[in-house]
Amino acid sequence: RTPSGNLTESARRGLAIFQGKGGCADCHAGDHLTSEKTYAVGLEGPRDRMREFNPPTLRGLYSRRRFLHDGRARSLEQVLSKYHRPEDVAGDVLTEQELADLLDYLRSL
């Protein structure tokens, strides 16, 4: 965010990706960027009893050290490039710039 609290240009582009091409807003919706529904997103491990997960709120991502239900991802970059890639969710591959913009938006939350 800028000193005035507005989104940077990169974060504004990231918001557009979040709401569109990335498919993020399908599950991370509303003011709290979550949903009461559960979704099968391919993140279950062999020892997990659950196959569907409730999307966590994305508010405050900048202060988290571990990500996903089991903490396997240690950065937002890992989440979006290894475990929960936009192309797996929405079917669209993001360019490096689009991924950087999306990360800027997510870090602004």
Side-chain angles (χ1 to χ4, degrees):
R1 291 193 180 263
T2 66
S4 63
N6 296 319
L7 291 177
T8 63
E9 182 62 33
S10 176
R12 281 196 300 274
R13 291 189 307 263
L15 171 59
I17 293 163
F18 181 90
Q19 293 174 330
K21 182 178 181 178
C24 313
D26 294 344
C27 301
H28 297 278
D31 291 338
H32 298 288
L33 301 174
T34 187
S35 170
E36 293 181 10
K37 297 178 183 178
T38 59
Y39 303 89
V41 292
L43 293 174
E44 66 276 355
R47 292 187 279 173
D48 287 333
R49 292 182 190 180
M50 298 183 66
R51 299 290 178 220
E52 293 187 350
F53 299 94
N54 175 263
T57 181
L58 298 182
R59 297 282 181 202
L61 281 178
Y62 58 86
S63 66
R64 295 186 194 159
R65 296 186 187 274
R66 298 242 175 163
F67 301 87
L68 303 176
H69 71 286
D70 57 3
R72 75 179 93 169
R74 303 206 183 222
S75 69
L76 283 173
E77 290 87 348
Q78 260 193 353
V79 171
L80 296 176
S81 64
K82 185 174 182 180
Y83 297 110
H84 196 55
R85 300 174 310 166
E87 61 262 29
D88 295 338
V89 176
D92 283 327
V93 176
L94 300 183
T95 66
E96 285 185 34
Q97 183 61 57
E98 288 172 327
L99 181 58
D101 292 342
L102 178 58
L103 287 166
D104 281 349
Y105 170 67
L106 292 173
R107 288 185 183 112
S108 76
L109 299 175

